[in-house]
Amino acid sequence: MKELTAENEVCLALGYFDSVHLGHRRLIETAGGFAHSKGIASAVATFTNNAYKVFNRDEKVVYTYAERTQLLNGLCDYVLPMRFDKRLKDCTAEHFLDALTAKYRIRAIVCGYDYLFGAGAEGDAEFLKNYCDVHGLDCVIVDKLEYDGVRVSTSEVKHLLADGQIERANTFLGEPFMMCGKVVAGRGAGRMFDIPTANLKIPVDKIIPKRGVYGTECVIDGKTYCGATNVGGRPTFDLTKIAIETMICDFSDNIYDKEIKLYFYKYLRPVTKFDTPKELSEQVHKDIHWSNENA
C-alpha cells in the first residue's frame, strides 16, 4: 500500500478505521468517489499504533496497522500513517488540521458524523466543516450506517467477536474477520491427528475472538486451504495457555516462521475436554470439514 506524499493532491478520509467495517468502507468509498469526480487521488489516515493505550485503556485493536493496510489496498489510492502519541493527543483541533494541510496537498476532507479529534475531543464534524469553509476546502460528512437497527461500529464488532458471533461480525466488517501472523512451533498435535497444524503468533494488541473452535480458511503463499482453528487452551492435554492452533486440510509443507493469513467464517463449538485423545482426533476430523456441511 502506497503512503501519501506531499506531491499528491488528495481527498483525505479522517478517522481511526480500526476495523475497516461497513461504515468505514462507505466513508472511504465517499472519499474515493469525490476524488474521482475531481480528478485527484483518495487517501485514508489511520494510526500505526494502538491509540487506546495513550488513553490508558486496556483495549485491543480489531486490525493491526499492517492488516489495515492490506484491507485498504484497493479501497483507496494512498494511506496516511500517523502515530498517536501524547503530542498528538494534546494537539488542538485547529493545530492538527493546520499541520495536515501545511504538509499535504489536501483539497477535500471526508469524515464520519461522529468524528472527534483534537485535545479533549474539542473538534467534531461541525468544527471540521467550518475549518474547511474558511480555508477553501471541500468537506463531506458521512451519516451513520445501521444494520438491522444497530449502528455499525468498531465497538459493536468487538462485542460480536467477544461473544463468538463471528458470522454477524463478518456482516458488519464486510468480509471475514482475519488474523495475520507468523507460524511458530507448537506441541505437535497435528502429527497425532495426521493433520498439518499451524500455531499462529499474533501481535499482543490484536483482538482474539471468544474461546472456541472456528471454521476457518488459511492463506499460505497465495493459496487458500480450509481448516478449523482452536482459540483457547487444550484441556484434553491439561494445557490452559491460550493458543491459536489451526488444523489445515490437504496440506503437507513445512511452514514454520512463515507469515500466513487466517479467515474466520463460523463458530463451530466450544473448547472441550475429551476423555481420550482419540475422541478429540475424531472430532477434529469432523471440524476441519465444516465447509462441506454448508455445501
Short mmCIF file of all heavy atoms in Angstrom, two decimals, residues 172-235:
data_model
loop_
_atom_site.label_atom_id
_atom_site.label_comp_id
_atom_site.label_asym_id
_atom_site.label_seq_id
_atom_site.Cartn_x
_atom_site.Cartn_y
_atom_site.Cartn_z
N PHE A 172 -20.91 -7.13 9.62
CA PHE A 172 -20.59 -5.74 9.96
C PHE A 172 -19.26 -5.33 9.33
O PHE A 172 -19.09 -4.18 8.93
CB PHE A 172 -20.54 -5.55 11.47
CG PHE A 172 -21.88 -5.32 12.12
CD1 PHE A 172 -22.89 -6.26 11.99
CD2 PHE A 172 -22.14 -4.18 12.85
CE1 PHE A 172 -24.14 -6.06 12.58
CE2 PHE A 172 -23.37 -3.96 13.44
CZ PHE A 172 -24.37 -4.91 13.30
N LEU A 173 -18.32 -6.27 9.27
CA LEU A 173 -16.99 -5.97 8.72
C LEU A 173 -16.99 -5.87 7.20
O LEU A 173 -16.16 -5.18 6.61
CB LEU A 173 -15.98 -7.04 9.15
CG LEU A 173 -15.57 -7.04 10.62
CD1 LEU A 173 -14.78 -8.29 10.96
CD2 LEU A 173 -14.77 -5.79 10.97
N GLY A 174 -17.91 -6.58 6.58
CA GLY A 174 -17.96 -6.57 5.12
C GLY A 174 -17.16 -7.69 4.49
O GLY A 174 -17.23 -7.93 3.29
N GLU A 175 -16.41 -8.42 5.30
CA GLU A 175 -15.67 -9.60 4.86
C GLU A 175 -15.24 -10.37 6.11
O GLU A 175 -15.31 -9.83 7.22
CB GLU A 175 -14.47 -9.24 3.99
CG GLU A 175 -13.41 -8.42 4.66
CD GLU A 175 -12.24 -8.15 3.70
OE1 GLU A 175 -12.41 -7.33 2.77
OE2 GLU A 175 -11.19 -8.78 3.88
N PRO A 176 -14.80 -11.62 5.96
CA PRO A 176 -14.47 -12.41 7.15
C PRO A 176 -13.37 -11.79 8.00
O PRO A 176 -12.38 -11.28 7.48
CB PRO A 176 -14.03 -13.76 6.55
CG PRO A 176 -14.71 -13.83 5.23
CD PRO A 176 -14.73 -12.42 4.72
N PHE A 177 -13.57 -11.86 9.32
CA PHE A 177 -12.54 -11.43 10.26
C PHE A 177 -11.27 -12.22 10.00
O PHE A 177 -11.30 -13.42 9.77
CB PHE A 177 -13.02 -11.68 11.69
CG PHE A 177 -11.98 -11.45 12.74
CD1 PHE A 177 -11.52 -10.17 13.02
CD2 PHE A 177 -11.47 -12.52 13.47
CE1 PHE A 177 -10.55 -9.95 13.99
CE2 PHE A 177 -10.50 -12.32 14.44
CZ PHE A 177 -10.05 -11.04 14.71
N MET A 178 -10.14 -11.53 10.03
CA MET A 178 -8.88 -12.22 9.71
C MET A 178 -7.76 -11.85 10.69
O MET A 178 -7.80 -10.82 11.36
CB MET A 178 -8.46 -11.95 8.27
CG MET A 178 -8.12 -10.52 7.95
SD MET A 178 -6.35 -10.20 7.94
CE MET A 178 -6.29 -8.60 7.12
N MET A 179 -6.80 -12.75 10.72
CA MET A 179 -5.58 -12.55 11.51
C MET A 179 -4.38 -12.82 10.61
O MET A 179 -4.40 -13.76 9.82
CB MET A 179 -5.51 -13.54 12.68
CG MET A 179 -6.51 -13.33 13.78
SD MET A 179 -6.23 -14.57 15.08
CE MET A 179 -7.36 -13.96 16.33
N CYS A 180 -3.36 -12.00 10.75
CA CYS A 180 -2.09 -12.24 10.07
C CYS A 180 -1.04 -12.50 11.14
O CYS A 180 -0.99 -11.80 12.15
CB CYS A 180 -1.67 -11.04 9.23
SG CYS A 180 -2.74 -10.70 7.83
N GLY A 181 -0.23 -13.49 10.95
CA GLY A 181 0.80 -13.77 11.94
C GLY A 181 1.79 -14.79 11.45
O GLY A 181 1.67 -15.36 10.36
N LYS A 182 2.79 -15.04 12.28
CA LYS A 182 3.85 -15.98 11.94
C LYS A 182 3.55 -17.34 12.57
O LYS A 182 3.08 -17.42 13.71
CB LYS A 182 5.20 -15.47 12.43
CG LYS A 182 6.37 -16.38 12.12
CD LYS A 182 7.68 -15.80 12.61
CE LYS A 182 8.12 -14.62 11.77
NZ LYS A 182 9.48 -14.16 12.10
N VAL A 183 3.84 -18.39 11.82
CA VAL A 183 3.66 -19.75 12.33
C VAL A 183 4.84 -20.10 13.22
O VAL A 183 6.01 -19.96 12.83
CB VAL A 183 3.55 -20.77 11.17
CG1 VAL A 183 3.43 -22.19 11.72
CG2 VAL A 183 2.36 -20.44 10.30
N VAL A 184 4.53 -20.54 14.44
CA VAL A 184 5.57 -20.90 15.41
C VAL A 184 5.41 -22.37 15.78
O VAL A 184 4.37 -22.98 15.54
CB VAL A 184 5.49 -20.03 16.67
CG1 VAL A 184 5.78 -18.58 16.33
CG2 VAL A 184 4.12 -20.14 17.34
N ALA A 185 6.46 -22.93 16.36
CA ALA A 185 6.42 -24.34 16.76
C ALA A 185 5.37 -24.54 17.85
O ALA A 185 5.25 -23.74 18.78
CB ALA A 185 7.79 -24.77 17.26
N GLY A 186 4.60 -25.62 17.72
CA GLY A 186 3.57 -25.93 18.71
C GLY A 186 3.88 -27.22 19.43
O GLY A 186 5.04 -27.60 19.59
N ARG A 187 2.83 -27.93 19.82
CA ARG A 187 3.02 -29.16 20.60
C ARG A 187 3.04 -30.41 19.74
O ARG A 187 3.14 -31.52 20.24
CB ARG A 187 1.90 -29.27 21.65
CG ARG A 187 0.51 -29.31 21.04
CD ARG A 187 -0.57 -29.05 22.08
NE ARG A 187 -1.86 -28.89 21.45
CZ ARG A 187 -2.70 -29.90 21.22
NH1 ARG A 187 -2.36 -31.12 21.57
NH2 ARG A 187 -3.86 -29.68 20.64
N GLY A 188 2.89 -30.23 18.41
CA GLY A 188 2.95 -31.38 17.51
C GLY A 188 1.71 -32.24 17.50
O GLY A 188 1.76 -33.41 17.10
N ALA A 189 0.59 -31.69 17.94
CA ALA A 189 -0.66 -32.47 18.00
C ALA A 189 -1.12 -32.89 16.62
O ALA A 189 -1.75 -33.93 16.46
CB ALA A 189 -1.75 -31.65 18.68
N GLY A 190 -0.81 -32.08 15.61
CA GLY A 190 -1.26 -32.40 14.26
C GLY A 190 -0.75 -33.75 13.79
O GLY A 190 -1.45 -34.47 13.07
N ARG A 191 0.47 -34.12 14.21
CA ARG A 191 1.02 -35.40 13.80
C ARG A 191 0.20 -36.55 14.38
O ARG A 191 0.01 -37.58 13.76
CB ARG A 191 2.49 -35.52 14.26
CG ARG A 191 3.44 -34.63 13.48
CD ARG A 191 4.88 -34.98 13.78
NE ARG A 191 5.23 -34.73 15.18
CZ ARG A 191 5.67 -33.57 15.63
NH1 ARG A 191 5.81 -32.56 14.80
NH2 ARG A 191 5.98 -33.43 16.91
N MET A 192 -0.31 -36.33 15.61
CA MET A 192 -1.13 -37.36 16.25
C MET A 192 -2.46 -37.53 15.51
O MET A 192 -2.99 -38.62 15.39
CB MET A 192 -1.40 -36.97 17.71
CG MET A 192 -2.24 -37.98 18.48
SD MET A 192 -2.43 -37.48 20.19
CE MET A 192 -3.42 -36.00 20.00
N PHE A 193 -2.99 -36.39 14.98
CA PHE A 193 -4.26 -36.44 14.26
C PHE A 193 -4.06 -36.72 12.77
O PHE A 193 -5.02 -36.86 12.04
CB PHE A 193 -4.99 -35.10 14.41
CG PHE A 193 -5.27 -34.71 15.83
CD1 PHE A 193 -5.31 -33.36 16.18
CD2 PHE A 193 -5.47 -35.66 16.81
CE1 PHE A 193 -5.58 -32.98 17.49
CE2 PHE A 193 -5.73 -35.29 18.13
CZ PHE A 193 -5.78 -33.95 18.47
N ASP A 194 -2.80 -36.77 12.33
CA ASP A 194 -2.48 -36.90 10.91
C ASP A 194 -3.04 -35.72 10.12
O ASP A 194 -3.52 -35.87 9.00
CB ASP A 194 -3.03 -38.22 10.36
CG ASP A 194 -2.42 -38.55 8.99
OD1 ASP A 194 -1.28 -38.13 8.75
OD2 ASP A 194 -3.11 -39.18 8.17
N ILE A 195 -2.98 -34.52 10.74
CA ILE A 195 -3.44 -33.29 10.11
C ILE A 195 -2.37 -32.22 10.34
O ILE A 195 -1.94 -32.02 11.47
CB ILE A 195 -4.77 -32.78 10.72
CG1 ILE A 195 -5.85 -33.86 10.65
CG2 ILE A 195 -5.24 -31.52 10.01
CD1 ILE A 195 -7.09 -33.50 11.44
N PRO A 196 -1.92 -31.53 9.29
CA PRO A 196 -0.96 -30.43 9.48
C PRO A 196 -1.53 -29.35 10.40
O PRO A 196 -2.70 -29.00 10.30
CB PRO A 196 -0.76 -29.90 8.06
CG PRO A 196 -1.16 -31.02 7.17
CD PRO A 196 -2.26 -31.74 7.88
N THR A 197 -0.68 -28.86 11.30
CA THR A 197 -1.10 -27.87 12.29
C THR A 197 -0.25 -26.61 12.18
O THR A 197 0.97 -26.70 12.04
CB THR A 197 -0.97 -28.43 13.72
OG1 THR A 197 -1.70 -29.65 13.80
CG2 THR A 197 -1.51 -27.45 14.73
N ALA A 198 -0.90 -25.45 12.25
CA ALA A 198 -0.19 -24.17 12.27
C ALA A 198 -0.56 -23.42 13.54
O ALA A 198 -1.75 -23.16 13.79
CB ALA A 198 -0.55 -23.35 11.04
N ASN A 199 0.43 -23.12 14.35
CA ASN A 199 0.22 -22.31 15.55
C ASN A 199 0.61 -20.88 15.23
O ASN A 199 1.76 -20.61 14.88
CB ASN A 199 1.07 -22.85 16.70
CG ASN A 199 0.59 -24.20 17.17
OD1 ASN A 199 -0.28 -24.30 18.02
ND2 ASN A 199 1.14 -25.26 16.59
N LEU A 200 -0.34 -19.99 15.35
CA LEU A 200 -0.14 -18.62 14.89
C LEU A 200 0.24 -17.69 16.05
O LEU A 200 -0.43 -17.65 17.09
CB LEU A 200 -1.44 -18.11 14.25
CG LEU A 200 -1.33 -16.91 13.31
CD1 LEU A 200 -0.47 -17.25 12.11
CD2 LEU A 200 -2.72 -16.47 12.85
N LYS A 201 1.33 -16.96 15.85
CA LYS A 201 1.73 -15.93 16.81
C LYS A 201 1.25 -14.58 16.28
O LYS A 201 1.59 -14.18 15.18
CB LYS A 201 3.25 -15.89 16.98
CG LYS A 201 3.73 -14.85 17.98
CD LYS A 201 5.24 -14.86 18.10
CE LYS A 201 5.71 -13.82 19.10
NZ LYS A 201 7.19 -13.79 19.24
N ILE A 202 0.43 -13.90 17.08
CA ILE A 202 -0.12 -12.62 16.64
C ILE A 202 0.35 -11.50 17.57
O ILE A 202 0.76 -11.76 18.71
CB ILE A 202 -1.66 -12.65 16.59
CG1 ILE A 202 -2.23 -12.88 17.99
CG2 ILE A 202 -2.16 -13.71 15.61
CD1 ILE A 202 -3.74 -12.66 18.06
N PRO A 203 0.30 -10.24 17.11
CA PRO A 203 0.71 -9.11 17.96
C PRO A 203 -0.12 -9.04 19.24
O PRO A 203 -1.30 -9.41 19.26
CB PRO A 203 0.45 -7.90 17.06
CG PRO A 203 0.52 -8.43 15.67
CD PRO A 203 -0.06 -9.81 15.74
N VAL A 204 0.49 -8.57 20.31
CA VAL A 204 -0.19 -8.54 21.62
C VAL A 204 -1.40 -7.60 21.62
O VAL A 204 -2.31 -7.76 22.44
CB VAL A 204 0.80 -8.11 22.73
CG1 VAL A 204 1.86 -9.17 22.91
CG2 VAL A 204 1.42 -6.75 22.42
N ASP A 205 -1.41 -6.62 20.72
CA ASP A 205 -2.53 -5.66 20.69
C ASP A 205 -3.70 -6.15 19.84
O ASP A 205 -4.71 -5.46 19.74
CB ASP A 205 -2.05 -4.31 20.13
CG ASP A 205 -1.20 -3.55 21.13
OD1 ASP A 205 -1.40 -3.74 22.34
OD2 ASP A 205 -0.33 -2.77 20.70
N LYS A 206 -3.59 -7.30 19.23
CA LYS A 206 -4.62 -7.83 18.35
C LYS A 206 -5.73 -8.51 19.15
O LYS A 206 -5.47 -9.31 20.04
CB LYS A 206 -3.99 -8.83 17.37
CG LYS A 206 -4.96 -9.65 16.56
CD LYS A 206 -5.54 -8.86 15.41
CE LYS A 206 -6.41 -9.74 14.53
NZ LYS A 206 -6.97 -9.01 13.39
N ILE A 207 -6.98 -8.20 18.82
CA ILE A 207 -8.11 -8.81 19.49
C ILE A 207 -8.21 -10.29 19.13
O ILE A 207 -7.90 -10.70 18.01
CB ILE A 207 -9.42 -8.06 19.13
CG1 ILE A 207 -10.53 -8.42 20.13
CG2 ILE A 207 -9.86 -8.36 17.70
CD1 ILE A 207 -11.76 -7.54 20.00
N ILE A 208 -8.63 -11.09 20.11
CA ILE A 208 -8.85 -12.52 19.90
C ILE A 208 -10.33 -12.80 20.14
O ILE A 208 -10.89 -12.37 21.15
CB ILE A 208 -7.98 -13.36 20.86
CG1 ILE A 208 -6.49 -13.11 20.59
CG2 ILE A 208 -8.30 -14.84 20.72
CD1 ILE A 208 -5.58 -13.80 21.56
N PRO A 209 -10.98 -13.52 19.24
CA PRO A 209 -12.40 -13.80 19.44
C PRO A 209 -12.65 -14.74 20.61
O PRO A 209 -11.69 -15.29 21.19
CB PRO A 209 -12.84 -14.41 18.11
CG PRO A 209 -11.58 -14.97 17.52
CD PRO A 209 -10.48 -14.07 17.98
N LYS A 210 -13.88 -14.94 20.93
CA LYS A 210 -14.29 -15.82 22.02
C LYS A 210 -13.60 -17.18 21.90
O LYS A 210 -13.43 -17.71 20.81
CB LYS A 210 -15.81 -16.00 21.98
CG LYS A 210 -16.37 -16.95 23.03
CD LYS A 210 -17.86 -17.12 22.86
CE LYS A 210 -18.42 -18.12 23.86
NZ LYS A 210 -19.90 -18.27 23.71
N ARG A 211 -13.21 -17.74 23.03
CA ARG A 211 -12.60 -19.06 23.02
C ARG A 211 -13.56 -20.05 22.35
O ARG A 211 -14.74 -20.08 22.64
CB ARG A 211 -12.30 -19.54 24.44
CG ARG A 211 -11.57 -18.55 25.34
CD ARG A 211 -10.27 -18.03 24.74
NE ARG A 211 -9.59 -17.17 25.69
CZ ARG A 211 -9.32 -15.89 25.50
NH1 ARG A 211 -9.70 -15.30 24.38
NH2 ARG A 211 -8.67 -15.18 26.40
N GLY A 212 -13.01 -20.88 21.50
CA GLY A 212 -13.83 -21.86 20.83
C GLY A 212 -13.13 -22.40 19.60
O GLY A 212 -11.98 -22.06 19.30
N VAL A 213 -13.84 -23.25 18.87
CA VAL A 213 -13.33 -23.82 17.62
C VAL A 213 -14.11 -23.21 16.47
O VAL A 213 -15.35 -23.18 16.48
CB VAL A 213 -13.47 -25.36 17.62
CG1 VAL A 213 -12.96 -25.94 16.30
CG2 VAL A 213 -12.71 -25.97 18.79
N TYR A 214 -13.38 -22.73 15.47
CA TYR A 214 -13.98 -22.00 14.35
C TYR A 214 -13.68 -22.68 13.02
O TYR A 214 -12.61 -23.25 12.84
CB TYR A 214 -13.43 -20.57 14.30
CG TYR A 214 -13.84 -19.71 15.46
CD1 TYR A 214 -13.14 -19.74 16.66
CD2 TYR A 214 -14.93 -18.84 15.36
CE1 TYR A 214 -13.51 -18.95 17.74
CE2 TYR A 214 -15.29 -18.03 16.43
CZ TYR A 214 -14.59 -18.09 17.61
OH TYR A 214 -14.97 -17.31 18.66
N GLY A 215 -14.64 -22.57 12.11
CA GLY A 215 -14.40 -22.95 10.73
C GLY A 215 -13.63 -21.83 10.08
O GLY A 215 -14.08 -20.67 10.06
N THR A 216 -12.45 -22.13 9.56
CA THR A 216 -11.56 -21.09 9.03
C THR A 216 -11.00 -21.47 7.67
O THR A 216 -11.09 -22.62 7.23
CB THR A 216 -10.37 -20.84 9.99
OG1 THR A 216 -9.68 -22.07 10.23
CG2 THR A 216 -10.85 -20.26 11.31
N GLU A 217 -10.41 -20.47 7.03
CA GLU A 217 -9.62 -20.69 5.83
C GLU A 217 -8.26 -20.05 6.06
O GLU A 217 -8.15 -18.97 6.64
CB GLU A 217 -10.28 -20.08 4.59
CG GLU A 217 -11.48 -20.88 4.10
CD GLU A 217 -12.05 -20.36 2.80
OE1 GLU A 217 -11.65 -19.24 2.39
OE2 GLU A 217 -12.89 -21.03 2.20
N CYS A 218 -7.22 -20.74 5.57
CA CYS A 218 -5.84 -20.30 5.79
C CYS A 218 -5.21 -20.00 4.43
O CYS A 218 -5.28 -20.83 3.52
CB CYS A 218 -5.09 -21.42 6.50
SG CYS A 218 -3.44 -20.99 7.04
N VAL A 219 -4.63 -18.81 4.30
CA VAL A 219 -3.96 -18.44 3.06
C VAL A 219 -2.45 -18.55 3.25
O VAL A 219 -1.86 -17.86 4.09
CB VAL A 219 -4.34 -17.01 2.62
CG1 VAL A 219 -3.62 -16.65 1.32
CG2 VAL A 219 -5.85 -16.89 2.44
N ILE A 220 -1.85 -19.46 2.48
CA ILE A 220 -0.41 -19.72 2.57
C ILE A 220 0.19 -19.57 1.17
O ILE A 220 -0.22 -20.27 0.24
CB ILE A 220 -0.14 -21.14 3.09
CG1 ILE A 220 -0.86 -21.36 4.43
CG2 ILE A 220 1.37 -21.38 3.23
CD1 ILE A 220 -0.85 -22.80 4.89
N ASP A 221 1.10 -18.63 1.04
CA ASP A 221 1.75 -18.38 -0.26
C ASP A 221 0.72 -18.17 -1.37
O ASP A 221 0.87 -18.67 -2.49
CB ASP A 221 2.68 -19.53 -0.63
CG ASP A 221 3.89 -19.62 0.29
OD1 ASP A 221 4.31 -18.57 0.82
OD2 ASP A 221 4.41 -20.74 0.49
N GLY A 222 -0.34 -17.45 -1.04
CA GLY A 222 -1.34 -17.10 -2.03
C GLY A 222 -2.37 -18.18 -2.31
O GLY A 222 -3.31 -17.95 -3.09
N LYS A 223 -2.24 -19.34 -1.68
CA LYS A 223 -3.20 -20.43 -1.89
C LYS A 223 -4.05 -20.61 -0.64
O LYS A 223 -3.54 -20.52 0.48
CB LYS A 223 -2.47 -21.72 -2.24
CG LYS A 223 -3.41 -22.84 -2.66
CD LYS A 223 -2.63 -24.05 -3.18
CE LYS A 223 -3.59 -25.17 -3.61
NZ LYS A 223 -2.86 -26.36 -4.12
N THR A 224 -5.35 -20.88 -0.82
CA THR A 224 -6.29 -20.98 0.29
C THR A 224 -6.60 -22.43 0.63
O THR A 224 -6.88 -23.26 -0.25
CB THR A 224 -7.60 -20.25 -0.05
OG1 THR A 224 -7.31 -18.87 -0.34
CG2 THR A 224 -8.58 -20.31 1.11
N TYR A 225 -6.55 -22.73 1.94
CA TYR A 225 -6.85 -24.07 2.44
C TYR A 225 -7.93 -23.99 3.51
O TYR A 225 -7.93 -23.09 4.35
CB TYR A 225 -5.59 -24.71 3.05
CG TYR A 225 -4.43 -24.81 2.11
CD1 TYR A 225 -3.54 -23.74 1.96
CD2 TYR A 225 -4.21 -25.96 1.36
CE1 TYR A 225 -2.46 -23.82 1.08
CE2 TYR A 225 -3.12 -26.05 0.48
CZ TYR A 225 -2.26 -24.97 0.35
OH TYR A 225 -1.19 -25.05 -0.52
N CYS A 226 -8.83 -24.94 3.49
CA CYS A 226 -9.88 -25.00 4.50
C CYS A 226 -9.32 -25.67 5.75
O CYS A 226 -8.37 -26.45 5.68
CB CYS A 226 -11.08 -25.78 3.96
SG CYS A 226 -12.51 -25.75 5.06
N GLY A 227 -9.92 -25.37 6.89
CA GLY A 227 -9.49 -26.00 8.13
C GLY A 227 -10.34 -25.55 9.30
O GLY A 227 -11.39 -24.94 9.13
N ALA A 228 -9.86 -25.85 10.49
CA ALA A 228 -10.54 -25.45 11.72
C ALA A 228 -9.50 -24.91 12.68
O ALA A 228 -8.36 -25.38 12.72
CB ALA A 228 -11.28 -26.63 12.34
N THR A 229 -9.90 -23.91 13.44
CA THR A 229 -8.96 -23.25 14.35
C THR A 229 -9.47 -23.30 15.79
O THR A 229 -10.61 -22.92 16.06
CB THR A 229 -8.76 -21.78 13.94
OG1 THR A 229 -8.20 -21.74 12.62
CG2 THR A 229 -7.82 -21.06 14.90
N ASN A 230 -8.61 -23.76 16.68
CA ASN A 230 -8.90 -23.76 18.10
C ASN A 230 -8.34 -22.48 18.71
O ASN A 230 -7.14 -22.21 18.63
CB ASN A 230 -8.27 -24.98 18.77
CG ASN A 230 -8.63 -25.08 20.24
OD1 ASN A 230 -9.63 -25.70 20.60
ND2 ASN A 230 -7.81 -24.50 21.11
N VAL A 231 -9.21 -21.68 19.29
CA VAL A 231 -8.80 -20.46 20.01
C VAL A 231 -9.02 -20.72 21.49
O VAL A 231 -10.15 -20.80 21.96
CB VAL A 231 -9.62 -19.24 19.56
CG1 VAL A 231 -9.21 -18.01 20.37
CG2 VAL A 231 -9.43 -18.98 18.07
N GLY A 232 -7.93 -20.89 22.22
CA GLY A 232 -8.07 -21.18 23.64
C GLY A 232 -7.05 -22.20 24.11
O GLY A 232 -6.02 -22.44 23.47
N GLY A 233 -7.36 -22.84 25.25
CA GLY A 233 -6.48 -23.86 25.79
C GLY A 233 -6.71 -25.20 25.12
O GLY A 233 -7.53 -25.33 24.20
N ARG A 234 -5.98 -26.21 25.58
CA ARG A 234 -6.13 -27.57 25.07
C ARG A 234 -6.41 -28.46 26.28
O ARG A 234 -5.51 -29.15 26.79
CB ARG A 234 -4.86 -28.02 24.33
CG ARG A 234 -4.68 -27.48 22.92
CD ARG A 234 -4.49 -26.00 22.80
NE ARG A 234 -3.36 -25.49 23.56
CZ ARG A 234 -2.10 -25.40 23.10
NH1 ARG A 234 -1.86 -25.75 21.87
NH2 ARG A 234 -1.13 -24.91 23.85
N PRO A 235 -7.66 -28.42 26.81
CA PRO A 235 -7.97 -29.09 28.07
C PRO A 235 -7.79 -30.60 28.05
O PRO A 235 -7.53 -31.20 29.10
CB PRO A 235 -9.45 -28.72 28.30
CG PRO A 235 -9.98 -28.38 26.95
CD PRO A 235 -8.83 -27.73 26.23
#
